[in-house]
Amino acid sequence: MVEQALQTNDPPGPTSGISSQPPSAQTAPWTPHTVLSTLPDIPTPHTSSPLPFLHILSRLKTTKREGWRRFGIAHGESIADHMYRMSILTMLAPASLTSRLNIPRCTQMALVHDMAESLVGDITPVDGVLKAEKSRRETATMSYLCGDLLGKVGGGVAGEEMRAVWQEYEDGETLEARFVHDVDKMELLLQMMEYERAAQGTLDLGEFAWVAKRIELPEVRAWCEELLKERGEFWRGVGRTPWGGQEVGAEKEAQHVEYYGNGNAANGA
């Protein structure tokens, strides 16, 4: 059985904060206040203290990654768990990459790329939220976090830098952004393998193996190939053949291409 972890808050899904509102308000566009209005303590904006920002950030530690829930993993990794291992992966880049990359910026990017999910939640391809709408919500949330909550902290410098690094990741044009997008997928594949192993061969998460095809840089592909070889050996050891995720159907493949593409500019998303 997959080990369960304490979950102290319900994740903010695509309709968070809307269902409790009167019918006349349910058609209003999503804003950060949609979720903030449901919190017992709404952070005070435009202060010189970082505490309101840090309190919101804590939601990343307790909000779970949604993709696993469809497979019965209700108490799996949090968004913060995912970003932490991504940040470590960036520091393990081989010399062929470190000679061309700004590694500290890559680590920063890994730590902030999903920051907006503290309010938006982890929207997945099956949630029915268009990529453009997901991007709009995340952009609005980053403006709130980095502007309203951090705009007067230390002159707003840190907030501006976080916002710029996040936007660089979203655009997906720089080598640093491309690397971190690949690392994002690599971390997903690692977690896939670990959940399968923890379930002792009773859980096949091969649907997620599809993202291996979206990894671009040869150095990260080499990590991926090693991991998939390890996965194959594991499944042979339990006497089963897992799904490799090669064929997911046209509709789901389109969802995956849009969701797992390396940024807006790089993939037209």
Side-chain angles (χ1 to χ4, degrees):
M1 180 178 292
V2 178
E3 184 178 357
Q4 295 187 345
L6 177 64
Q7 182 173 351
T8 57
N9 73 294
D10 293 329
T15 58
S16 292
I18 295 178
S19 61
S20 61
Q21 298 177 1
S24 61
Q26 291 186 20
T27 58
W30 189 99
T31 70
H33 188 70
T34 302
V35 175
L36 292 169
S37 63
T38 69
L39 302 182
D41 297 297
I42 299 177
T44 301
H46 309 299
T47 76
S48 60
S49 171
L51 293 184
F53 168 77
L54 294 173
H55 286 313
I56 286 292
L57 209 64
S58 71
R59 293 171 60 84
L60 295 171
K61 297 171 66 175
T62 53
T63 302
K64 304 305 179 183
R65 295 256 288 167
E66 285 296 313
W68 310 118
R69 288 175 177 267
R70 290 187 295 112
F71 294 86
I73 305 172
H75 301 286
E77 63 168 342
S78 70
I79 297 166
D81 292 334
H82 168 65
M83 293 195 293
Y84 172 77
R85 184 158 58 178
M86 276 185 64
S87 69
I88 297 298
L89 279 166
T90 65
M91 292 186 276
L92 296 175
S96 59
L97 278 176
T98 57
S99 62
R100 299 183 289 146
L101 286 171
N102 181 339
I103 292 298
R105 191 167 184 84
C106 292
T107 304
Q108 289 177 325
M109 201 175 291
L111 288 170
V112 306
H113 82 286
D114 280 342
M115 186 180 289
E117 293 182 7
S118 58
L119 295 180
V120 175
D122 182 24
I123 298 174
T124 71
V126 301
D127 287 328
V129 178
L130 295 177
K131 181 67 177 288
E133 172 61 14
K134 176 177 180 287
S135 178
R136 185 192 70 79
R137 295 183 187 189
E138 292 177 346
T139 299
T141 298
M142 289 303 291
S143 294
Y144 167 76
L145 294 173
C146 299
D148 292 12
L149 296 188
L150 290 178
K152 292 187 177 180
V153 177
V157 175
E160 290 175 3
E161 178 66 11
M162 289 182 196
R163 181 67 174 77
V165 170
W166 177 83
Q167 190 62 57
E168 181 179 342
Y169 175 84
E170 287 294 296
D171 292 341
E173 295 179 336
T174 65
L175 182 59
E176 283 77 11
R178 291 170 56 206
F179 173 56
V180 178
H181 273 286
D182 279 358
V183 165
D184 186 27
K185 297 174 183 66
M186 183 64 198
E187 204 288 323
L188 170 68
L189 293 168
L190 282 164
Q191 191 63 66
M192 172 195 75
M193 171 67 191
E194 286 149 10
Y195 282 144
E196 289 181 335
R197 189 157 47 197
Q200 300 177 354
T202 63
L203 180 65
D204 186 346
L205 297 172
E207 175 181 319
F208 296 95
W210 186 92
V211 303
K213 297 193 298 183
R214 302 294 294 178
I215 292 176
E216 296 184 3
L217 300 180
E219 293 85 354
V220 185
R221 283 205 304 268
W223 287 345
C224 178
E225 289 166 2
E226 182 180 359
L227 177 67
L228 294 180
K229 179 180 177 182
E230 180 182 276
R231 180 175 183 251
E233 292 171 351
F234 162 75
W235 281 102
R236 282 192 293 273
V238 297
R240 292 185 58 195
T241 300
W243 182 33
Q246 293 89 348
E247 297 182 4
V248 294
E251 182 178 356
K252 184 164 288 187
E253 181 169 355
Q255 290 176 332
H256 284 181
V257 168
E258 180 181 45
Y259 188 76
Y260 293 114
N262 287 10
N264 298 332
N267 291 275

mmCIF file of all heavy atoms in Angstrom, residues 7 40 55 60 65-66 72 129 146 201 226 249:
data_model
loop_
_atom_site.group_PDB
_atom_site.id
_atom_site.type_symbol
_atom_site.label_atom_id
_atom_site.label_comp_id
_atom_site.label_asym_id
_atom_site.label_seq_id
_atom_site.Cartn_x
_atom_site.Cartn_y
_atom_site.Cartn_z
ATOM 1 N N GLN A 7 -2.760 15.130 5.596
ATOM 2 C CA GLN A 7 -3.284 16.188 4.741
ATOM 3 C C GLN A 7 -4.104 17.109 5.619
ATOM 4 O O GLN A 7 -5.072 16.690 6.241
ATOM 5 C CB GLN A 7 -4.149 15.609 3.628
ATOM 6 C CG GLN A 7 -4.675 16.682 2.681
ATOM 7 C CD GLN A 7 -5.381 16.070 1.496
ATOM 8 O OE1 GLN A 7 -5.339 14.872 1.301
ATOM 9 N NE2 GLN A 7 -6.039 16.885 0.703
ATOM 10 N N PRO A 40 -10.043 31.320 6.569
ATOM 11 C CA PRO A 40 -10.397 31.892 7.878
ATOM 12 C C PRO A 40 -9.656 33.191 8.170
ATOM 13 O O PRO A 40 -10.164 34.060 8.877
ATOM 14 C CB PRO A 40 -10.007 30.787 8.865
ATOM 15 C CG PRO A 40 -9.012 29.936 8.146
ATOM 16 C CD PRO A 40 -9.415 29.989 6.708
ATOM 17 N N HIS A 55 2.533 32.768 4.919
ATOM 18 C CA HIS A 55 1.372 31.994 5.368
ATOM 19 C C HIS A 55 0.641 31.384 4.169
ATOM 20 O O HIS A 55 0.220 30.221 4.226
ATOM 21 C CB HIS A 55 0.428 32.870 6.184
ATOM 22 C CG HIS A 55 0.932 33.188 7.557
ATOM 23 N ND1 HIS A 55 1.456 32.226 8.394
ATOM 24 C CD2 HIS A 55 0.987 34.363 8.247
ATOM 25 C CE1 HIS A 55 1.817 32.787 9.543
ATOM 26 N NE2 HIS A 55 1.543 34.079 9.468
ATOM 27 N N LEU A 60 1.187 25.262 -0.158
ATOM 28 C CA LEU A 60 1.892 24.369 -1.070
ATOM 29 C C LEU A 60 2.363 23.107 -0.365
ATOM 30 O O LEU A 60 2.577 22.077 -1.006
ATOM 31 C CB LEU A 60 3.088 25.086 -1.690
ATOM 32 C CG LEU A 60 2.768 26.269 -2.609
ATOM 33 C CD1 LEU A 60 4.039 27.024 -2.970
ATOM 34 C CD2 LEU A 60 2.048 25.798 -3.866
ATOM 35 N N ARG A 65 -0.815 16.917 -5.082
ATOM 36 C CA ARG A 65 -0.748 16.856 -6.546
ATOM 37 C C ARG A 65 -1.917 15.991 -7.029
ATOM 38 O O ARG A 65 -2.076 14.835 -6.637
ATOM 39 C CB ARG A 65 0.578 16.260 -6.971
ATOM 40 C CG ARG A 65 1.775 17.129 -6.592
ATOM 41 C CD ARG A 65 2.319 17.864 -7.780
ATOM 42 N NE ARG A 65 3.018 16.943 -8.677
ATOM 43 C CZ ARG A 65 3.379 17.249 -9.922
ATOM 44 N NH1 ARG A 65 3.088 18.414 -10.426
ATOM 45 N NH2 ARG A 65 4.020 16.368 -10.663
ATOM 46 N N GLU A 66 -2.738 16.553 -7.895
ATOM 47 C CA GLU A 66 -4.029 15.960 -8.215
ATOM 48 C C GLU A 66 -3.964 14.739 -9.130
ATOM 49 O O GLU A 66 -4.847 13.881 -9.078
ATOM 50 C CB GLU A 66 -4.927 17.020 -8.858
ATOM 51 C CG GLU A 66 -5.475 18.040 -7.877
ATOM 52 C CD GLU A 66 -6.388 17.400 -6.847
ATOM 53 O OE1 GLU A 66 -7.276 16.609 -7.215
ATOM 54 O OE2 GLU A 66 -6.184 17.680 -5.656
ATOM 55 N N GLY A 72 -6.386 6.484 -6.855
ATOM 56 C CA GLY A 72 -6.611 6.096 -5.466
ATOM 57 C C GLY A 72 -5.541 6.539 -4.498
ATOM 58 O O GLY A 72 -5.551 6.131 -3.337
ATOM 59 N N VAL A 129 -10.445 22.490 -17.532
ATOM 60 C CA VAL A 129 -10.080 23.906 -17.541
ATOM 61 C C VAL A 129 -9.117 24.134 -18.709
ATOM 62 O O VAL A 129 -8.064 23.507 -18.781
ATOM 63 C CB VAL A 129 -9.408 24.328 -16.214
ATOM 64 C CG1 VAL A 129 -8.988 25.792 -16.269
ATOM 65 C CG2 VAL A 129 -10.352 24.093 -15.041
ATOM 66 N N CYS A 146 3.308 38.271 -5.755
ATOM 67 C CA CYS A 146 4.550 39.034 -5.906
ATOM 68 C C CYS A 146 4.342 40.541 -5.834
ATOM 69 O O CYS A 146 5.287 41.278 -5.537
ATOM 70 C CB CYS A 146 5.216 38.667 -7.234
ATOM 71 S SG CYS A 146 5.660 36.925 -7.355
ATOM 72 N N GLY A 201 3.577 -3.672 -7.061
ATOM 73 C CA GLY A 201 3.128 -4.233 -8.330
ATOM 74 C C GLY A 201 1.633 -4.313 -8.512
ATOM 75 O O GLY A 201 1.164 -4.868 -9.508
ATOM 76 N N GLU A 226 17.361 5.660 -17.885
ATOM 77 C CA GLU A 226 17.825 4.836 -16.765
ATOM 78 C C GLU A 226 16.660 4.485 -15.845
ATOM 79 O O GLU A 226 16.532 3.346 -15.374
ATOM 80 C CB GLU A 226 18.913 5.578 -15.994
ATOM 81 C CG GLU A 226 19.499 4.787 -14.838
ATOM 82 C CD GLU A 226 20.580 5.542 -14.084
ATOM 83 O OE1 GLU A 226 20.888 6.693 -14.469
ATOM 84 O OE2 GLU A 226 21.111 4.979 -13.103
ATOM 85 N N GLY A 249 -4.707 7.432 -26.687
ATOM 86 C CA GLY A 249 -5.892 7.915 -27.373
ATOM 87 C C GLY A 249 -5.694 9.348 -27.833
ATOM 88 O O GLY A 249 -4.986 10.132 -27.194
#
